[in-house]
Amino acid sequence: MAVYWIMLLLSAAMGIPLCGLCEKKESRTVLLYYILSGAALTLISALRFGVGYDYNLYAGWYYDLNFVDFDGLRGGRQEIGLFFPLKLLNLFTSDYAAAFPLISLLIYPPLMTYIYRHSDAPWISVTAFLGMGLFFNSMNFMRQFIAAVICAFAFEYAVKGCRVRYLLLILFAASFHRSALFLLPCFLFVYIDWNTAVLAVTAILSAGAYIFSGQLLRLVTRFAYSDYKMESSRDMINGLPIAYTVMYGVLFLAAFALRNRMNGEKRSINMIIWCCFAAFFFELIGSRYAIVSRLALLFFIPAVCLGTPKIFSALYDIAQMRKKGAGIAAILAAVLILSGNYALLINQNYNGVVPYKTIFERTEVK
């Protein structure tokens, strides 16, 4: 697990001198940080072996491509967005280990491009990406994480009022994971301002959805995801630890409390806070029915990679107003909280990422 801690340490230790503390800078040193961070994330994900609960699942899917032609992909159950490029790769090598570098290239360079364009403080985005466990998510729910990156770009078009581009990107994301279709009406996020009245209404509706989640899921599975049976599917019977709900609940409450102190356009702030809320809401329902938490993943990137820098910056400004120099202490405290959360995730082997092994440690069966 040392590699994970080195990544977290370097994300801040390199980020602050290269990017600045909270301000958004445009310089070659910032670009260097993006390149180094993106390369590190890509390599660590690409070269892993047996890391993540879904590793063997994807390895098996890649092996099965040896027996499927391109016409067969169209009639398969899996989304073509990922399996088409995997099949192209399969024409050159049948080794499943080759799939993970390709998948990593589809996730992390686009993700770093998104952070480069839209984050207020890149090092905070990368540190939060690690500290909130998104990197571990990306090594498991790979198809959906690619879709989540595409959806993050789509939200930015919603902020600009480009509904057609938003729609097209959501449809493109759905070619990697159909759950992205749930985001079709979410362009409305940018038009709904958060206030105490909206908070009260969403709290009441969330409580109702939690109480009646079983009935709602039975209704949904009559028309979609019918393979998930309420009585027998493991992801339906079991719920996730409540700690994940608390994690995103704290993020949402911090974003809501500091909404008037956040820098940026109103539409962008609305979108970020709604993504924080959606992440919290679907994790809440996921504490009863694990499958529902998959929808939360589609909102993680804007919530964490854009929301956390704005929260940190607001905390810095508040602390500086009260006492000169206290802003740095506030940032340090926030980083320590992220580090503590990171430690808890690693300690409980979140998504099966411990121990970390590389493909060079693979022992071939003769």
Side-chain angles (χ1 to χ4, degrees):
M1 70 177 68
V3 65
Y4 299 135
W5 283 108
I6 292 172
M7 288 174 63
L8 185 70
L9 177 63
L10 291 180
S11 68
M14 288 195 315
I16 294 175
L18 291 178
C19 305
L21 192 60
C22 289
E23 67 275 17
K24 186 176 180 66
K25 294 172 59 178
E26 300 291 341
S27 68
R28 292 182 179 180
T29 60
V30 177
L31 181 60
L32 176 63
Y33 179 78
Y34 284 115
I35 293 172
L36 292 175
S37 298
L41 292 170
T42 302
L43 286 173
I44 290 169
S45 175
L47 298 180
R48 74 189 193 275
F49 171 62
V51 178
Y53 291 134
D54 284 355
Y55 185 94
N56 290 334
L57 176 65
Y58 279 74
W61 283 341
Y62 187 79
Y63 175 78
D64 291 341
L65 289 176
N66 291 309
F67 312 103
V68 178
D69 58 19
F70 285 99
D71 288 335
L73 289 178
R74 291 184 298 177
R77 295 179 57 191
Q78 303 300 340
E79 294 86 344
I80 194 116
L82 178 60
F83 283 84
F84 183 80
L86 285 179
K87 180 59 184 176
L88 287 176
L89 179 64
N90 184 257
L91 296 177
F92 299 95
T93 176
S94 60
D95 187 352
Y96 65 83
F100 298 97
L102 174 59
I103 293 172
S104 298
L105 287 171
L106 291 174
I107 293 176
Y108 305 107
L111 172 69
M112 294 308 297
T113 301
Y114 173 79
I115 294 174
Y116 177 75
R117 290 181 179 178
H118 304 295
S119 172
D120 289 353
W123 77 267
I124 298 176
S125 296
V126 175
T127 302
F129 180 79
L130 294 168
M132 295 286 286
L134 270 65
F135 183 53
F136 301 147
N137 292 135
S138 70
M139 291 197 289
N140 280 273
F141 313 112
M142 288 166 263
R143 290 178 302 136
Q144 194 172 18
F145 210 90
I146 296 171
V149 174
I150 298 170
C151 290
F153 282 100
F155 277 123
E156 293 305 316
Y157 281 117
V159 169
K160 297 175 183 177
C162 303
R163 298 183 186 179
V164 174
R165 292 185 180 183
Y166 175 84
L167 171 63
L168 292 176
L169 276 184
I170 294 299
L171 293 177
F172 180 49
S175 73
F176 289 91
H177 204 278
R178 295 183 187 93
S179 64
L181 294 174
F182 282 94
L183 272 63
L184 284 174
C186 291
F187 71 90
L188 295 172
F189 282 173
V190 300
Y191 302 107
I192 306 174
D193 296 343
W194 275 95
N195 52 46
T196 53
V198 172
L199 179 64
V201 171
T202 53
I204 293 170
L205 293 176
S206 298
Y210 182 81
I211 293 169
F212 297 105
S213 53
Q215 294 90 324
L216 291 171
L217 278 177
R218 283 188 174 87
L219 178 63
V220 170
T221 52
R222 287 177 58 186
F223 304 99
Y225 297 99
S226 56
D227 290 342
Y228 291 97
K229 305 297 182 183
M230 293 292 294
E231 295 78 17
S232 57
S233 175
R234 182 181 64 180
D235 288 331
M236 286 292 196
I237 296 172
N238 300 316
L240 295 178
I242 196 66
Y244 308 147
T245 304
V246 173
M247 182 167 64
Y248 284 98
V250 170
L251 182 68
F252 164 65
L253 290 176
F256 175 81
L258 297 169
R259 65 193 185 281
N260 293 325
R261 293 182 176 272
M262 289 183 177
N263 297 320
E265 298 178 3
K266 189 64 176 178
R267 282 187 174 187
S268 180
I269 293 171
N270 286 343
M271 180 271 294
I272 290 170
I273 299 176
W274 275 109
C275 285
C276 291
F277 171 76
F280 159 71
F281 173 77
F282 288 115
E283 287 288 0
L284 174 67
I285 307 301
S287 67
R288 294 189 69 183
Y289 304 101
I291 189 63
V292 179
S293 68
R294 294 288 190 91
L295 293 176
L297 193 148
L298 296 170
F299 302 94
F300 283 173
I301 295 174
V304 172
C305 296
L306 302 191
T308 306
K310 289 187 180 298
I311 291 170
F312 275 40
S313 180
L315 291 174
Y316 176 85
D317 291 341
I318 292 172
Q320 283 291 96
M321 288 174 59
R322 294 184 176 181
K323 184 179 180 181
K324 188 176 181 180
I328 296 176
I331 295 295
L332 178 61
V335 170
L336 289 176
I337 292 172
L338 278 178
S339 300
N341 187 70
Y342 194 59
L344 290 174
L345 294 175
I346 292 175
N347 186 61
Q348 65 185 28
N349 194 15
Y350 183 60
N351 282 314
V353 297
V354 178
Y356 179 81
K357 295 182 180 179
T358 70
I359 195 64
F360 305 111
E361 300 174 71
R362 178 172 61 171
T363 302
E364 299 290 352
V365 177
K366 298 182 179 179

